[in-house]
Amino acid sequence: MNNMDKQTRMAHAIRFLSMDAVEKANSGHPGLPMGAADVATVLFTKFMRFDPTSPKWADRDRFVMSGGHGSMLLYSLLHLLGYEDMSIEDLANFRQLGAKTAGHPEFGHAAGIETTTGPLGQGIANAVGMAITERLLSAKFGDDLVNHRTYVMAGDGCLMEGISQEAIALAGHLKLNKLVLLWDDNNITIDGNVSVSDSTDQHARFKASNWNTISVDGHDQAAIAEAIEEAQKSDKPTMIDCKTVIGFGSPNKAGTNKVHGAPLGADEIAATREALGWDCAPFELPADIRDAWRIAGLNAAQAHKEWQKRLEAADSEVRAEFERRMRGDLPSGFEDAMAAYKKSLAEEPKNVATRKASEMALNVITEAVPETIGGSADLTGSNNTKTPSTESVTPDDFSGRYMNWGIREHCMASAMNGMALHGGVIPYSGTFLVFADYMRGAMRLSALMEQRVIYVLTHDSIGLGEDGPTHQPVETLASLRAIPNMQVFRPADAMETAECWELAIKSDKNPSSLALTRQGLTPYRTEYSEENLCGRGAYVLSDCDGDADVSIFASGSEVEIAMAAQAALAEQDILARVVSVPCFELFEAQSEEYKKDILGEAKVKVGIEAALRMGWDRFIGSDGIFVGMDSFGASGPYKELYEKFGITSDNVVAKVVERLK
C-alpha cells in the first residue's frame, strides 16, 4: 500500500472515530469531521509543530477549531497523535456528563484544546489574538524563542457571523502572515444549502481585507499540502478554501444537511464502512494506522527539542523574563509600585473622573508590568487606556504595547481572549460600558475559560450626560454581574480605582470589568491602607457613632451622594453609615461573618446606583429603598439628569425620613 493510501486511511481513522463517537452518544455533528479529515491529516502530519508529551510548549503552533460543533475532529486528532489526556475511553464517552470530550471543545478539559469554541466566529478572532501575541513576543524575545504559526479551521457559519469580518479586516491590516484560515467549504448549513441565506464571494471578501486566498480540493491531500506550503511563504494572512463534502464517505447523507448535526444511524454507518473499506469495529484502529499517527506526533515534537536548546542558550535574564511571562507570574516589583502609588494618592488626593484615575493607575501598572498590552476600540482619548509605556503597534512594527483595535468591539474582546490563552501577555482594552453588549459573547467566554482579560468600560451611567440614552448603560452593570466568574468593579474615587486595578491584574483566573465615570468625583479614601479594601467587595467607608438607623450602600459615582446624604441625615439626628460596594462578586466571596457585619441591622437600608435595581436587594432587601434608574436615560447635562431621575442626596434623605416616620 503506497504512502498516499496510508494518508487516506489515516484520515479515515478520524472519520470513523468521529462518527462512532457521535453514534454512541446519540448526539453530535459527524459531518464536519468526516468532511475535513483530509485537511486535518495533512496539517497535523506534515506542518504543525507541537509536542503531545509537552502540550503547553510555548513555541508550539496553535490550532483553533472555530467550528466547535465539529469537536470530534479535534478529539480524534489528540487521541491519534498520542496526547495522554485523550484516551479511546474519552472518545467513547463523548458528550457525557463530566467527560473531557464535551459537545464543543472546552479549554482546560484536556491538553491540546487551545480555546473554548462553539459560538461561531469566536475561534477566528481568538486565532487573530494568538497571531498578534506571537508577533508581539517575537518582537520582544526574537525569533529564536518565538516563531510559530496559528491555524484556524472555520466553516460557512463562522464566516457569516459578523465578528469574522472584524477579525479578518484587522488581521489583514496587521499583515499577520503566520495566520492561516482553513475554510471547510462544504456549502451546507443547518437549514440546507448555503445559497438559501448567503451568496458572498468569500475570496473577494478576504482579498479586499488584504488576505491571500487559495482554492483546493479538500480531499486531495497533495493539493492541500501545496496550498499550506504556499501560505507559509505569504506576506499576508492566508485563507485556504478547502472544497469538501460534508459527511464524506456516507453513501446516502454526504453532501446534505442531514449529516450536519445528527448521528448517521447504524445502517448508514455500516454502509459507510463498506463504502470506504473500513472493517474495524467501533473505536478500534488498524495497528499500522495507529502507529503512523503516533509517529507523526513524535516527528512534530522534534521542533520542541531544537527550541529547548535555543532557550537554554539564550541570555539568562532574557530566558528568566520569558519563562516568567509564560507562567503568568507578575513581576516582583508590582506590589511595591502599587503601594507607593497609593501612598502618593493618600498624600495628595485627586478629584478626578475614575476614567482619569484609571489612566493614572495604568501609568504605574504598564511601567511595572511590561507584559500588559493596552488598547481601545477607537476611543483612546475617552477610555484613557494609553500610557507613556505603551507605544502603538503598527503593521510593520510590533515592538509597541498598544492596540488600535478600530471600531471592532467584538473582535477586540475575542482577540484579547486569544492573547490571554496564548500566554505571555496581559491584555486590557477600552470602550464605553454600553458597548459591552457588542462584546458579550466574548466576555462570557473570558469568564467561562477563566482568563485574565481586563475590560475598561468608561462612561458608566447617565453621568455621561449629553450623549443620551443610546449611550447611557442603565441595565449593563446588572447584566455583567450576571456572568459567572466575571469581576465587575465600579470604583468610587482614585484610591478605589487603584485598588480595583491591582485586583484585576492579580486575578489570573477571572476576567475583570472596570466601570468608570466620565464626571469628576470627590476623593473619600484619603488614607493609605495596607489592606486592599476593595478586595472585600464591600466595606464601611464612613461609620457613625452608635447603632446606625440607616445603612446606605452605593457604588462608584453614587458614593458621593451617599456621603452627602449621611451628612444631611446627621443634621436631623439620624445616624447613617455608608458602605462602598465596588464589587458584588468579591463581597460574595467573603466569610458569612464579614458579610453579616457589612449588611448590618439598621432599620432602613438604602441602595444608590445610577442603574437598575437588579442585584441590589442582596444588600438592601426586597423592602429596602433603592435610588437609581427604572427607565432609560435622557440627553442633557449630567447634573440635570441626576435631578430629573431623583438620584440626589435630597431624595435619599426624603425617602429615609418618610420610612422612619
Side-chain angles (χ1 to χ4, degrees):
M1 185 168 287
N2 63 41
N3 187 55
M4 185 54 68
D5 285 339
K6 180 170 281 189
Q7 287 288 118
T8 300
R9 291 171 66 228
M10 290 172 75
H12 288 348
I14 296 173
R15 294 185 170 103
F16 284 99
L17 287 175
S18 297
M19 70 177 80
D20 288 336
V22 171
E23 186 69 19
K24 185 172 185 294
N26 195 30
S27 174
H29 301 73
L32 188 159
M34 294 171 70
D38 290 302
V39 179
T41 299
V42 173
L43 178 65
F44 277 85
T45 61
K46 295 184 180 299
F47 296 98
M48 284 279 291
R49 303 184 325 150
F50 56 92
D51 186 350
T53 65
S54 184
K56 294 184 179 180
W57 164 40
D59 201 35
R60 69 191 181 278
D61 289 338
R62 268 62 170 182
F63 175 75
V64 174
M65 187 79 207
S66 188
H69 56 278
S71 56
M72 270 309 305
L73 175 75
L74 178 57
Y75 300 150
S76 298
L77 283 165
L78 295 177
H79 171 70
L80 290 166
L81 289 163
Y83 284 77
E84 290 185 4
D85 223 12
M86 191 61 66
S87 68
I88 199 72
E89 290 76 21
D90 289 316
L91 301 189
N93 206 26
F94 179 54
R95 286 193 165 218
Q96 303 310 298
L97 184 63
K100 297 173 183 176
T101 46
H104 294 82
E106 301 283 347
F107 175 78
H109 279 209
I113 300 174
E114 299 284 5
T115 180
T116 296
T117 53
L120 295 179
Q122 289 288 334
I124 297 176
N126 287 173
V128 170
M130 292 174 185
I132 288 170
T133 307
E134 190 275 341
R135 290 287 299 275
L136 291 169
L137 294 178
S138 181
K140 172 67 177 176
F141 294 103
D143 286 350
D144 278 353
L145 296 188
V146 185
N147 185 11
H148 56 265
R149 300 180 186 278
T150 304
Y151 299 92
V152 54
M153 181 172 283
D156 292 293
C158 293
L159 297 186
M160 284 191 212
E161 290 286 1
I163 189 174
S164 72
Q165 182 56 39
E166 295 184 24
I168 69 170
L170 181 66
H173 169 71
L174 292 174
K175 302 177 185 176
L176 299 176
N177 66 308
K178 294 181 187 175
L179 174 64
V180 177
L181 186 150
L182 300 158
W183 173 24
D184 178 33
D185 179 9
N186 60 35
N187 209 40
I188 293 294
T189 63
I190 292 173
D191 283 353
N193 195 287
V194 166
S195 62
V196 304
S197 60
D198 191 61
S199 54
T200 301
D201 182 338
Q202 294 292 353
H203 284 267
R205 175 189 174 209
F206 274 83
K207 286 176 181 176
S209 300
N210 200 35
W211 283 59
N212 179 36
T213 71
I214 306 171
S215 290
V216 296
D217 177 346
H219 302 297
D220 183 339
Q221 293 199 19
I224 295 164
E226 288 178 12
I228 296 174
E229 286 176 0
E230 183 181 337
Q232 291 186 345
K233 298 172 185 174
S234 177
D235 60 355
K236 302 175 181 180
T238 299
M239 181 273 276
I240 303 177
D241 175 355
C242 304
K243 191 62 185 172
T244 61
V245 176
I246 190 170
F248 179 91
S250 169
N252 301 301
K253 296 185 178 182
T256 73
N257 62 340
K258 293 178 181 178
V259 75
H260 169 77
L264 272 70
D267 291 344
E268 187 65 12
I269 285 182
T272 306
R273 275 183 156 76
E274 183 175 350
L276 295 182
W278 192 263
D279 54 11
C280 289
F283 303 108
E284 292 184 4
L285 296 167
D288 65 323
I289 296 303
R290 180 178 291 280
D291 290 346
W293 272 109
R294 293 296 159 88
I295 289 169
L298 292 172
N299 289 340
Q302 288 298 315
H304 183 194
K305 296 177 182 177
E306 295 163 8
W307 176 86
Q308 191 66 39
K309 292 175 183 176
R310 296 196 297 273
L311 178 66
E312 291 168 0
D315 177 85
S316 59
E317 289 187 12
V318 171
R319 176 179 178 176
E321 176 67 2
F322 178 78
E323 291 179 330
R324 178 191 70 76
R325 288 198 191 187
M326 294 309 297
R327 286 195 306 271
D329 296 343
L330 293 174
S332 57
F334 170 64
E335 291 191 359
D336 288 345
M338 290 304 295
Y341 171 60
K342 289 186 288 186
K343 287 175 183 176
S344 73
L345 285 179
E347 292 168 3
E348 294 184 39
K350 308 289 185 184
N351 186 327
V352 294
T354 49
R355 66 169 175 165
K356 178 62 178 177
S358 172
E359 179 185 34
M360 291 158 52
L362 277 171
N363 284 338
V364 177
I365 291 167
T366 55
E367 184 174 348
V369 187
E371 60 266 38
T372 47
I373 307 294
S376 170
D378 199 55
L379 290 167
T380 296
S382 295
N383 301 150
N384 298 72
T385 43
K386 200 169 190 298
T387 74
S389 300
T390 56
E391 292 296 321
S392 288
V393 170
T394 72
D396 301 310
D397 185 357
F398 277 74
S399 64
R401 293 168 49 201
Y402 192 82
M403 295 295 302
N404 294 103
W405 293 103
I407 305 92
R408 302 185 182 100
E409 288 90 352
H410 203 177
C411 170
M412 176 177 77
S414 186
M416 285 201 294
N417 283 341
M419 295 171 79
L421 288 161
H422 180 286
V425 297
I426 299 174
Y428 71 88
S429 286
T431 186
F432 291 171
L433 176 58
V434 74
F435 299 138
D437 287 343
Y438 283 170
M439 304 191 292
R440 183 165 307 278
M443 296 180 81
R444 184 175 186 273
L445 287 170
S446 301
L448 180 60
M449 294 189 287
E450 300 182 345
Q451 292 302 299
R452 178 165 44 190
V453 175
I454 302 171
Y455 298 96
V456 179
L457 303 168
T458 68
H459 297 60
D460 70 341
S461 73
I462 62 169
L464 64 88
E466 290 83 352
D467 275 340
T470 59
H471 283 53
Q472 293 167 0
V474 296
E475 81 287 6
T476 315
L477 284 167
S479 67
L480 291 181
R481 287 167 178 155
I483 300 174
N485 200 47
M486 173 68 74
Q487 294 180 150
V488 182
F489 294 105
R490 192 163 186 251
D493 64 5
M495 186 71 79
E496 279 201 0
T497 304
E499 289 189 339
C500 291
W501 258 113
E502 185 175 22
L503 292 163
I505 291 289
K506 286 183 173 181
S507 297
D508 62 354
K509 295 293 185 185
N510 306 87
S512 298
S513 296
L514 285 90
L516 306 169
T517 69
R518 178 176 184 261
Q519 71 271 34
L521 301 179
T522 302
Y524 289 106
R525 287 280 304 283
T526 56
E527 293 184 8
Y528 172 71
S529 167
E530 189 170 332
E531 180 188 2
N532 186 320
L533 298 182
C534 289
R536 295 279 196 169
Y539 65 95
V540 178
L541 176 64
S542 180
D543 213 338
C544 58
D545 294 328
D547 294 334
D549 301 304
V550 183
S551 283
I552 306 175
F553 301 86
S555 79
S557 46
E558 285 67 71
V559 167
E560 192 167 322
I561 294 170
M563 294 293 285
Q566 180 193 41
L569 288 168
E571 292 178 2
Q572 300 187 42
D573 295 325
I574 298 172
L575 296 179
R577 64 203 277 265
V578 174
V579 176
S580 179
V581 188
C583 183
F584 283 25
E585 297 77 25
L586 290 181
F587 177 69
E588 291 303 328
Q590 304 306 305
S591 68
E592 291 302 317
E593 183 180 4
Y594 180 82
K595 286 187 280 189
K596 184 178 180 181
D597 183 57
I598 292 299
L599 294 174
E601 298 180 355
K603 287 175 283 186
V604 178
K605 293 181 179 179
V606 182
I608 315 174
E609 187 170 67
L612 299 186
R613 178 171 182 149
M614 191 177 296
W616 278 95
D617 285 5
R618 173 68 178 90
F619 295 92
I620 63 176
S622 59
D623 61 344
I625 297 168
F626 182 72
V627 175
M629 300 293 292
D630 59 8
S631 67
F632 291 108
S635 178
Y638 83 88
K639 290 184 179 179
E640 294 179 23
L641 291 176
Y642 273 78
E643 289 284 346
K644 171 181 171 57
F645 292 105
I647 308 175
T648 65
S649 58
D650 288 346
N651 191 31
V652 172
V653 170
K655 287 179 177 291
V656 168
V657 170
E658 178 66 24
R659 183 65 64 89
L660 287 173
K661 281 184 179 178

